[in-house]
Structures are given as structure tokens and as C-alpha cells.
Amino acid sequence: MANFPIINMEKLNGEERAATMEIIKDACENWGFFELVNHGISHELMDTVEGLTKDHYKKCMEQRFKEMVATKSLDSLQTEIVDLDWESTFHIRHLPVSNISEIPDLQQDYRKAMKEFAEGLEKLAEQLLDLLCENLGLEKGYLKKAFYGSKGPTFGTKVSNYPPCPRPELIKGLRAHTDAGGIILLFQDDKVSGLQLLKDSQWIDVPPMHHSIVINLGDQLEVITNGKYKSVMHRVIVQPDGNRMSIASFYNPGSDAVIHPAPILVEKEEQSQVYPKFVFEDYMKLYAGLKFQGKEPRFEAMKAVENTVNSGPIATV
């Protein structure tokens, strides 16, 4: 089995650029995941965000999680649980309009750090989309425009903690799924592992690395690339000790963006258009009820309503 792809982004600025772009291409085509180092986001800021996230969990969320576990009798599991996840989460919306000031229990320094971190991740996501364009032979900015809709992309963060679990073999931290959206940027705990992806019918650990950002591709990029790039099933397993932090940020199309395979890719590959055309918000409504099932039935369901989709708002970026 090949090693998990790790991309040193500093090498994009020198004579190793071509080789680095090839690693990104292979990762997108064969893994759906890769890990970034030297990505341009300050290590000091990442340390601040990690410390504040762990502190926030201890002060504001740990007791609630323990109460939920007790209420659902999850502390005395005897049989496997398949309809629940062992995680404590909250969500922040950044774009099109931020709601970070409305989220209760967040200290001001935590709001400030998360806002700065999200701004860095937004720039990184757009940089990555252009690297993908380059590898795919699409004009620069194509993917950003495809995501744009009438109000720009949707961008938000899911902050999760996966506390120690007494029976980790009976419940998942997060059940297996593909991500519905565009490109996902994950800042994960570098001490407590748990994230796994499915490759060649085997579950493979995504290695925790200090100050790295893990990238994975969502269903929308599979559609736009007409299947050249794939979203990949992944899950979180829980540990008997150690609390795993996960900060996943989702750079997704705008709700009214019309998603479809890029015509140039359909022509270049000399194949028929395999994937449907749909409004992103419609896909998300379907995904909400089918997240933990295979993506193929979702694509088929969108094909069934494809004829009702207009060309949609034209991006002006």
C-alpha cells in the first residue's frame, strides 16, 4: 500500500513544483485525501485555536456530553450502536454571513482566534481549488466560479471532540460517510488518532501530524470533475483514552449554485456526462437524510430531477 500523501506546499514555489503538483494529482485521483504541511497558516495561531478549543470543551461541553451519555445509557453499552455518534460538536458559519458572534459560551479571545483561523483557511481553500484547476486543465478560477452562485460560497466549521469511550468497538465517533460539499480542511488532534479513510476496501488511518491540515474532497468535486476525482468514505473511531479534537472547515458551493460536470472535462475524456446537474441546496436536502449511505443513490436521485434545473446564477467573480 502506498504511503498516505503528504504535500509540502513550500515546494510549489521552486524547482520541485511539477513533482508536487503530480503528488496532488495522484492524491485527488486515488485517495480523495491528502495532508498539507507548510501551508501558510501560522503555527502559533493553530496552537492558540487548539488550546482554546480544548479549554472550551472542558468548561462548556464536557458535562453536557456526560449527561447525554448517561441519558442514552451509552456508558453501559452491550450491543453495537449504529444510529448514533460518540461526539460532542458545535457549528460556526463564516460565509455568506458569519454567525460567530451569536454562538453562546464562546469567549471573546476564542471568537477572535477562530475568525482569524477561518480567514486563513478560506484563502487556503481557494488556493487549493486553483491548484486543482491547473491539474485538471481548467481555467484558473473555474472551481471558485462553479461554487459561487449568486452570493458566493458557503463556508463553515464543525468543531468536534471525541471523548474517551469505554466500549470503542461498539460505537463510532462518526459513522462512515462521504462529505456532501466541496473541499474540506481539517485541523485534527496530533496526539489522539481516530480518522480513517476507505481505500481498496481497507480502512486506513489518516496520520496525525503536528500543525498539518488534512484535505479531503467532497461530492461536489466528484460531480464537477465527472468522476475524475472522487469523494471517499471516511469515519472516526473512538479510543478508550484520550480526547480527540477535530476542527473541520467546509468550503462549499453557495446554496443556489448549479453544479454539473465541467464541459471541457467531459469533452477531453471523450466520455458521456456521467453525473447530474442540480442546485446545491437540493443536494443538501437529500444528503441530510442519506448521509450515512453510499453516495451513488444520491447522484441517481438528483439525475431523476435533473430536467427541472435551470442554468442558475452566473458568477461575477
Side-chain angles (χ1 to χ4, degrees), residues 109-169:
D109 54 348
Y110 191 19
R111 289 184 214 272
K112 183 171 178 286
M114 284 300 279
K115 186 170 182 291
E116 187 181 343
F117 186 50
E119 286 167 357
L121 289 172
E122 182 188 345
K123 286 178 190 160
L124 181 58
E126 292 176 354
Q127 181 186 356
L128 287 167
L129 288 177
D130 276 343
L131 293 173
L132 268 52
C133 284
E134 188 177 332
N135 269 339
L136 289 162
L138 298 169
E139 65 177 343
K140 186 176 181 179
Y142 181 94
L143 289 171
K144 184 179 177 183
K145 286 178 186 174
F147 282 22
Y148 207 77
S150 64
K151 298 175 186 170
T154 308
F155 185 44
T157 297
K158 177 187 176 187
V159 181
S160 307
N161 281 271
Y162 298 93
C165 179
R167 297 294 301 274
E169 73 280 9

Side-chain angles (χ1 to χ4, degrees), residues 17 21 58 67 90 113 154 164 222 239 245 276 296:
R17 179 182 173 83
M21 290 296 287
K58 282 271 182 211
E67 288 167 5
F90 68 95
T154 308
E222 179 166 339
Q239 309 293 353
M245 177 202 77
E296 292 78 12

Side-chain angles (χ1 to χ4, degrees), residues 15-305:
E15 56 192 29
E16 294 182 71
R17 179 182 173 83
T20 305
M21 290 296 287
E22 193 60 35
I23 298 170
I24 295 172
K25 178 174 179 284
D26 179 73
C28 291
E29 291 181 357
N30 297 308
W31 289 81
F33 270 78
F34 50 94
E35 199 152 1
L36 301 179
V37 295
N38 296 319
H39 40 64
I41 296 176
S42 148
H43 290 179
E44 185 181 359
L45 176 59
M46 293 178 81
D47 290 341
T48 299
V49 167
E50 179 174 358
L52 290 168
T53 298
K54 290 180 174 177
D55 188 51
H56 176 263
Y57 173 74
K58 282 271 182 211
K59 286 180 179 172
C60 302
M61 302 189 74
E62 186 173 40
Q63 188 55 38
R64 276 180 244 165
F65 181 77
K66 287 178 177 175
E67 288 167 5
M68 183 275 290
V69 166
T71 302
K72 297 184 182 295
S73 302
L74 297 180
D75 45 357
S76 53
L77 288 177
Q78 300 299 322
T79 55
E80 187 174 6
I81 301 289
V82 295
D83 60 351
L84 205 63
D85 300 310
W86 187 272
E87 65 173 356
S88 169
T89 68
F90 68 95
H91 296 80
I92 304 169
R93 186 180 65 245
H94 310 298
L95 295 174
V97 180
S98 173
N99 71 345
I100 196 164
S101 62
E102 299 159 24
I103 296 171
D105 304 330
L106 294 190
Q107 293 180 335
Q108 196 54 38
D109 54 348
Y110 191 19
R111 289 184 214 272
K112 183 171 178 286
M114 284 300 279
K115 186 170 182 291
E116 187 181 343
F117 186 50
E119 286 167 357
L121 289 172
E122 182 188 345
K123 286 178 190 160
L124 181 58
E126 292 176 354
Q127 181 186 356
L128 287 167
L129 288 177
D130 276 343
L131 293 173
L132 268 52
C133 284
E134 188 177 332
N135 269 339
L136 289 162
L138 298 169
E139 65 177 343
K140 186 176 181 179
Y142 181 94
L143 289 171
K144 184 179 177 183
K145 286 178 186 174
F147 282 22
Y148 207 77
S150 64
K151 298 175 186 170
T154 308
F155 185 44
T157 297
K158 177 187 176 187
V159 181
S160 307
N161 281 271
Y162 298 93
C165 179
R167 297 294 301 274
E169 73 280 9
L170 295 180
I171 190 167
K172 296 289 181 290
L174 183 58
R175 288 159 284 165
H177 63 288
T178 66
D179 288 325
I183 192 164
I184 298 86
L185 306 94
L186 171 69
F187 175 24
Q188 67 167 345
D189 206 295
D190 67 322
K191 296 179 180 64
V192 183
S193 62
L195 178 61
Q196 297 181 325
L197 66 92
L198 190 63
K199 179 170 169 57
D200 302 327
S201 303
Q202 285 185 295
W203 287 106
I204 298 169
D205 291 330
V206 176
M209 285 175 60
H210 198 38
H211 294 142
S212 73
I213 300 286
V214 175
I215 305 299
N216 72 283
L217 309 182
D219 294 349
Q220 307 312 303
L221 284 176
E222 179 166 339
V223 172
I224 293 170
T225 65
N226 205 36
K228 190 172 180 66
Y229 293 171
K230 296 281 199 301
S231 59
V232 169
M233 291 288 273
H234 53 284
R235 69 183 186 182
V236 176
I237 57 170
V238 282
Q239 309 293 353
D241 43 46
N243 181 51
R244 177 178 176 267
M245 177 202 77
S246 162
I247 302 173
S249 296
F250 300 80
Y251 188 100
N252 291 345
S255 59
D256 64 353
V258 175
I259 303 300
H260 56 84
I264 191 173
L265 295 183
V266 178
E267 292 160 16
K268 191 159 53 168
E269 299 294 327
E270 293 184 352
Q271 62 182 33
S272 60
Q273 181 172 318
V274 178
Y275 289 81
K277 179 181 187 178
F278 52 81
V279 177
F280 178 61
E281 186 175 35
D282 292 340
Y283 188 85
M284 290 304 291
K285 286 174 184 170
L286 183 71
Y287 180 84
L290 301 173
K291 176 176 177 176
F292 298 110
Q293 299 178 27
K295 60 192 169 184
E296 292 78 12
R298 300 196 292 264
F299 293 148
E300 288 303 318
M302 297 317 295
K303 268 186 192 173
V305 297

